[in-house]
Amino acid sequence: MLMFTVRRILVSIPVLIGITAILFVMLNVVPGDPIALLMKEHASPDVIERVRAQMHLDDPLITRYFRFLFAALQGDLGTSIKLNRSVTTLIMNAFPNTLYLAGCAALVSWVIGIPAGILSAVRRDSFVDHFFMGFSLLGVSMPIFWSALLMQYIFAVQLKWLPVAGFYGFEYVILPAIVLGWSSAGVIARLTRSSLLEVMRHDYIRTARAKGAREISVISRHALKNALIPVVTIMAIQVASLLSGAVITEAIFGIPGVGRISINAIQARDMPLLQGSVLFATVLVILGNLVADILYSVLDPRIRSQMRKDAR
Amino acid sequence: MKNKMKLLLASGLASLVLMTPALAEQMLRISYPEDPKTADVQKTSDAYMLPLNVFDRLIEAETTSPGQSALVPGLAEKWDVSADGLVYTFHLRQGVLFHDGAELTADDVVYTFDRMLNPATKALGTDILDFVAGAHERLDGTADSVAGLKALDKYTVQITLSQPYAAFLALMASPQASIFNRAFTEAAGDQFGLSPETTNGTGPFKLESYELNDSQRLVANESYFRGRPKLDSILVRVVSDSETLRLLFETDELDVFDLDYAVSQTPYFYGSDQWKDLIRTGPRVGMYYYHINQANKPFDDVRVRKAFQMAINRQEILDKNFYGKGVLENGVMPRGLTCYEPATPIEFNPAKAKELLAEAGYPDGVEIKLAQVSSWSSKWSDMNQIIQAQAAEAGFKVSIDTMDEAAYFDKRKAGVIDNYTQSWSADFNDPDNFFYTFFSKSGTAVRAFNNNDPVVFEALDKARGMSDAEARCALYREMGEKIVQEDAAWVPMFSLDHSYVVQPRVKNFVVPWNGWSDMNYYKMEIAE
């Protein structure tokens, strides 16, 4: 397992370098001058030219790229052009907020998604099935800005149970976590349902039933373990994507997370900040996939033994 | 760890404060859609709330009546200008203290302006010091100091200009001219203005906390030289979503709702029995306009430009999009600006516009493009859509080219962008802030008007140095007529009122003279 993990990490290094190189080239192809964007309506050609030179933005692309890479290898992701702060500090300060939100949202999506999927599969084509599938379809289909507004109106304005927006304590994370969790729960519920239905058709489930095992035991001990393998993959990737920043949710609920930082970077063509945000998101996605693979092996002994063989 | 604990404590405190309906302290709760990024005004060009409240200037522009301002003493209690208009001597107030307890001296003023011109600062707003003798040498690194900046004694500063500049005093009252403390600012280095620990001004409020993309908290400066502000503190939240903003206001989590950030809510608040008496409104010294790029065909022909002016029913847009809250403008200067006088009205006449197009060689109409930015408020795209329909009657077949903000500014800088709509509010109360910004040689190029009229260029350069106020105003009015009526270089649209809705407890809320959302909160109060 350790060998497998180390190998996966080593393989991801060229991926990271490749992504930074592609991003660097792309940002130089698309139009946009970070200094002109900083000055906007107060743009003055002389000042733009001077500040660009002072920030070494006119240096050749290759020089700037290797300067960035060399500093990044030493843990320095540079200074944001727009926010004038260290990129590493900006991301590290915003990440705990995103982690908190993503953790709560993931919890909501699992608590809703997995039981809904199981109940729908077990009571296939019943009212319960249609209700839960309709509920999850609504979660997946409804745009976040709309469900957010709806939740804010019902729970904050009308019922006054929760605050509208902000990030000053647990009560502030409930609404965004539900909004974000609901949209992810739909995917999990539908995947759990289809995967469980698939597994329930296998011979070993019929054998278990023939042995006289109770239905609840057939589902929980025999079917669910195998049915959850694809679900776990999606869950890990969803968490990784939530951690990269839930841009719309963070904007609507005023959460100072990584998503807000990334939006700042894209809109301002803030190269160092954008490089840092993308690098960070890539690391999270790679880690998410790694965690999914490890969980796979925990859940499925066949995969575990394949990993051992591969390691040898 | 220490920082984490601080953050937790600050969050807990903010939580308590936000959840408590009856506020014990006189705290004003406001919001802005974007984080200000810094309190260092030399590093920003659009976020002035922190500079206006944490710092002071030598002179201040005070709102005297709606849409009107006067220059009043600030950190300088008086000033003299030499007969040739080149030497400005500022006599500082004695005993003015920075937030860290240091006393303001003439050396701080010299340091502040020198810092702005020091290439190492990478300052953005250096334009305000363009006329100071030696400014360019300092900026391009050929001098270690600015020849025109001198501390004559502890409380007297002398600024010498390289040529007379009539708007210099007005410029000294703009936020970019905020004064810093030498010792503190030098010690803070490039971190100055980024956190409470690295921010120090003389202003009515001190920066107490700053959480990026979340909030800032300002507290009263007990030893402010004009007397302690009535407010104990100001909580500034960063709320980018306009719907959330309205819900926060309606659930009494905010004290002020700026209708500029949600124009579509205007009829709701004006029609609401609960809110209509709590609307505070004032004219702004600013103008919406349609830009015309003369480098693009068919706008290289003045007849087409005049036809474009005549094809737009500005009153309809004002009524439909902005609920009639403003007045039409016809010149380069909006109401309230020094030298303002109503200009010759632009006629709305689609039939005549059609004739002009035919005269210019387009009897079957002409295809034109309008540029707009995808991420901007829908008020801009709504205006374009209305104009698309209106101009069709005169023969303009308008298509709208939507792009992101970066591409928009890039095309503008390159001078190739299609006509766009924008607004401009006064940074300082002088016609130079409008004329030179748009129609000087550099202004017309960087904004892609390409109105290369040598008569206008010469007159605008001349007006900057004129000391006879009346003759100067006359020249600006003459140039306004030439630019709008003769050159048809832009389409002045309207000057809007700026409306806010406030909670009943907010007292002394005055819309600033220029109509900015960034304002000084010194005189505001919260009723017990």
Side-chain angles (χ1 to χ4, degrees):
Chain A
M1 181 71 76
L2 183 69
M3 278 301 291
F4 170 78
T5 313
V6 170
R7 207 162 62 190
R8 284 291 298 272
I9 290 172
L10 288 177
V11 165
S12 60
I13 292 173
V15 174
L16 287 174
I17 294 177
I19 282 176
T20 57
I22 292 169
L23 193 69
F24 230 90
V25 172
M26 274 173 61
L27 275 174
N28 279 277
V29 173
V30 295
D33 174 354
I35 307 304
L37 281 162
L38 210 57
M39 298 193 70
K40 292 191 176 173
E41 286 306 312
H42 287 82
S44 144
D46 300 347
V47 179
I48 292 174
E49 199 184 317
R50 178 174 47 77
V51 178
R52 276 189 67 86
Q54 286 164 347
M55 290 188 173
H56 304 289
L57 296 174
D58 293 328
D59 291 355
L61 180 68
I62 197 85
T63 312
R64 280 183 289 139
Y65 179 65
F66 280 105
R67 192 187 297 138
F68 161 77
L69 210 59
F70 187 66
L73 286 171
Q74 297 171 73
D76 176 13
L77 292 175
T79 304
S80 157
I81 295 172
K82 182 178 181 182
L83 302 171
N84 200 24
R85 294 160 169 85
S86 145
V87 169
T88 315
T89 312
L90 282 169
I91 294 174
M92 285 306 133
N93 283 347
F95 185 60
N97 302 334
T98 300
L99 184 67
Y100 188 25
L101 172 66
C104 293
L107 207 64
V108 169
S109 74
W110 300 341
V111 166
I112 296 174
I114 296 173
I118 296 170
L119 281 170
S120 296
V122 172
R123 300 268 180 267
R124 188 184 178 186
D125 289 335
S126 68
F127 169 76
V128 175
D129 182 19
H130 295 313
F131 172 78
F132 279 119
M133 283 307 103
F135 181 73
S136 23
L137 187 67
L138 201 65
V140 179
S141 322
M142 208 172 351
I144 281 188
F145 68 84
W146 176 243
S147 51
L149 188 63
L150 204 68
M151 296 276 181
Q152 283 176 322
Y153 185 73
I154 297 170
F155 295 104
V157 179
Q158 290 301 318
L159 299 172
K160 299 190 192 311
W161 289 352
L162 293 164
V164 174
F167 204 62
Y168 309 105
F170 178 67
E171 67 273 27
Y172 286 87
V173 88
I174 297 174
L175 278 186
I178 291 174
V179 167
L180 209 52
W182 187 14
S183 71
S184 312
V187 178
I188 291 174
R190 296 185 83 82
L191 199 64
T192 308
R193 179 184 182 273
S194 62
S195 179
L196 197 56
L197 285 174
E198 175 69 31
V199 168
M200 297 284 269
R201 278 200 286 269
H202 284 186
D203 290 345
Y204 70 90
I205 299 291
R206 201 179 309 130
T207 309
R209 279 183 179 141
K211 278 198 310 185
R214 284 190 306 153
E215 191 61 18
I216 190 156
S217 157
V218 171
I219 292 165
S220 61
R221 292 186 53 198
H222 300 281
L224 208 54
K225 209 168 172 185
N226 283 328
L228 281 184
I229 292 175
V231 181
V232 163
T233 318
I234 293 296
M235 279 160 62
I237 293 169
Q238 270 187 350
V239 170
S241 128
L242 286 174
L243 287 175
S244 318
V247 174
I248 300 171
T249 315
E250 286 181 8
I252 294 175
F253 289 98
I255 298 167
V258 177
R260 297 279 284 279
I261 298 274
S262 308
I263 283 292
N264 276 333
I266 294 165
Q267 287 177 341
R269 294 287 191 273
D270 190 336
M271 181 86 88
L273 190 53
L274 194 53
Q275 286 281 8
S277 312
V278 171
L279 209 60
F280 184 70
T282 313
V283 169
L284 287 174
V285 171
I286 289 171
L287 282 177
N289 278 300
L290 187 64
V291 169
D293 284 343
I294 292 169
L295 285 174
Y296 251 53
S297 72
V298 172
L299 290 169
D300 191 337
R302 288 169 302 179
I303 297 170
R304 198 157 52 230
S305 99
Q306 185 62 42
M307 275 183 182
R308 277 201 207 100
K309 269 189 214 156
D310 289 351
R312 279 200 294 269
Chain B
M1 195 65 192
K2 227 173 169 182
N3 281 342
K4 286 256 159 67
M5 284 301 290
K6 265 192 198 167
L7 188 68
L8 270 173
L9 277 172
S11 301
L13 192 69
S15 174
L16 268 174
V17 163
L18 287 164
M19 296 299 284
T20 310
L23 304 171
E25 62 171 334
Q26 282 214 8
M27 181 170 75
L28 181 75
R29 299 160 306 166
I30 55 172
S31 78
Y32 287 92
E34 266 199 71
D35 191 277
K37 305 179 284 288
T38 179
D40 179 355
V41 77
Q42 298 182 356
K43 301 276 185 74
T44 183
S45 64
D46 59 357
Y48 299 137
M49 194 285 291
L50 290 177
L52 283 171
N53 288 283
V54 177
F55 299 89
D56 288 297
R57 289 133 293 275
L58 294 174
I59 302 170
E60 301 288 350
E62 198 174 76
T63 306
T64 48
S65 59
Q68 301 289 328
S69 71
L71 294 178
V72 297
L75 294 175
E77 57 185 353
K78 57 182 179 166
W79 54 89
D80 318 305
V81 185
S82 64
D84 59 5
L86 288 175
V87 183
Y88 289 73
T89 309
F90 295 94
H91 305 277
L92 302 185
R93 288 174 200 272
Q94 297 187 18
V96 173
L97 299 180
F98 282 95
H99 299 156
D100 69 347
E103 193 193 1
L104 168 83
T105 64
D107 179 56
D108 294 317
V109 179
V110 170
Y111 166 74
T112 301
F113 295 139
D114 179 73
R115 177 183 185 265
M116 189 177 236
L117 296 167
N118 183 344
T121 308
K122 299 169 195 153
L124 297 176
T126 51
D127 286 3
I128 67 161
L129 302 175
D130 261 357
F131 286 96
V132 173
H136 293 282
E137 289 79 1
R138 179 70 168 131
L139 259 181
D140 60 28
T142 53
D144 293 333
S145 60
V146 185
L149 295 175
K150 266 192 197 117
L152 298 183
D153 59 44
K154 197 177 174 188
Y155 301 108
T156 313
V157 185
Q158 192 183 70
I159 301 180
T160 308
L161 305 187
S162 53
Q163 61 182 84
Y165 180 37
F168 187 69
L169 283 177
L171 257 180
M172 287 292 103
S174 68
Q176 288 95 335
S178 299
I179 302 299
F180 307 154
N181 173 261
R182 178 191 283 272
F184 184 93
T185 312
E186 276 179 345
D190 62 1
Q191 296 299 298
F192 180 69
L194 299 182
S195 67
E197 296 76 26
T198 57
T199 303
N200 181 30
T202 54
F205 296 96
K206 298 179 193 181
L207 183 62
E208 194 192 52
S209 74
Y210 185 167
E211 299 299 331
L212 192 76
N213 279 334
D214 179 62
S215 61
Q216 308 102 53
R217 190 177 153 89
L218 283 73
V219 293
N221 173 7
E222 300 291 339
S223 48
Y224 187 49
F225 72 89
R226 292 182 200 274
R228 182 196 191 278
K230 300 259 182 0
L231 292 172
D232 295 320
S233 63
I234 305 174
L235 177 70
V236 190
R237 293 175 69 174
V238 181
V239 182
S240 55
D241 183 69
S242 61
E243 287 298 335
T244 305
L245 193 67
R246 175 179 154 180
L247 295 177
L248 282 170
F249 180 72
E250 294 215 74
T251 51
D252 197 13
E253 288 189 52
L254 285 178
D255 290 314
V256 179
F257 183 75
D258 185 344
L259 278 168
D260 251 23
Y261 300 133
V263 179
S264 60
Q265 317 272 2
T266 307
Y268 165 75
F269 282 104
Y270 272 88
S272 158
D273 285 338
Q274 184 187 356
W275 298 115
K276 66 182 178 194
D277 295 332
L278 293 164
I279 293 174
R280 304 288 176 265
T281 193
R284 78 178 86 208
V285 182
M287 186 173 346
Y288 279 63
Y289 63 87
Y290 256 91
H291 145 276
I292 296 174
N293 188 350
Q294 295 181 31
N296 291 346
K297 276 198 175 301
F299 291 103
D300 54 338
D301 189 321
V302 69
R303 290 167 294 188
V304 178
R305 301 199 293 272
K306 280 205 89 67
F308 188 60
Q309 284 182 334
M310 287 179 173
I312 299 174
N313 185 345
R314 299 171 299 152
Q315 189 64 50
E316 187 186 30
I317 298 170
L318 178 60
D319 293 341
K320 276 191 180 168
N321 277 34
F322 301 100
Y323 311 98
K325 308 288 179 199
V327 296
L328 291 187
E329 293 291 359
N330 294 295
V332 176
M333 294 185 277
R335 59 181 167 167
L337 192 74
T338 302
C339 299
Y340 173 78
E341 254 183 27
T344 308
I346 296 172
E347 190 185 358
F348 166 58
N349 191 338
K352 202 167 169 189
K354 208 167 188 169
E355 278 173 29
L356 280 168
L357 274 189
E359 249 180 62
Y362 305 104
D364 302 322
V366 62
E367 289 186 5
I368 62 162
K369 275 188 186 174
L370 297 179
Q372 74 183 22
V373 176
S374 53
S375 57
W376 286 359
S377 142
S378 59
K379 70 180 174 185
W380 303 109
S381 49
D382 291 349
M383 272 173 77
N384 282 338
Q385 277 174 22
I386 295 185
I387 282 177
Q388 192 175 30
Q390 288 178 349
E393 208 184 320
F396 286 103
K397 295 159 195 161
V398 181
S399 58
I400 296 169
D401 188 9
T402 306
M403 60 197 78
D404 83 338
E405 198 178 35
Y408 165 82
F409 278 111
D410 238 32
K411 281 183 145 191
R412 239 174 77 156
K413 198 174 67 162
V416 296
I417 197 156
D418 293 303
N419 298 1
Y420 59 83
T421 176
Q422 248 302 338
S423 67
W424 180 266
S425 293
D427 293 309
F428 54 97
N429 197 346
D430 191 276
D432 186 59
N433 191 223
F434 281 77
F435 279 94
Y436 210 83
T437 299
F438 293 101
F439 299 109
S440 64
K441 201 170 183 178
S442 60
T444 196
V446 77
R447 287 181 165 72
F449 281 89
N450 295 309
N451 180 50
N452 297 316
D453 184 337
V455 178
V456 174
F457 292 162
E458 198 184 322
L460 297 189
D461 280 332
K462 183 182 164 196
R464 296 190 115 182
M466 286 170 77
S467 55
D468 180 341
E470 217 162 285
R472 186 168 177 258
C473 284
L475 183 59
Y476 276 126
R477 287 183 203 121
E478 189 193 325
M479 283 305 107
E481 291 291 315
K482 178 165 172 48
I483 288 164
V484 179
Q485 296 294 332
E486 204 177 301
D487 294 343
W490 78 346
V491 190
M493 299 290 283
F494 27 72
S495 165
L496 293 182
D497 297 338
H498 195 161
S499 301
Y500 299 81
V501 196
V502 300
Q503 298 288 358
R505 70 175 79 88
V506 177
K507 306 291 172 205
N508 292 345
F509 186 96
V510 175
V511 178
W513 65 275
N514 52 6
W516 277 3
S517 294
D518 290 340
M519 64 178 85
N520 180 292
Y521 293 96
Y522 175 60
K523 289 185 178 170
M524 229 161 279
E525 282 179 59
I526 292 285
E528 295 290 339

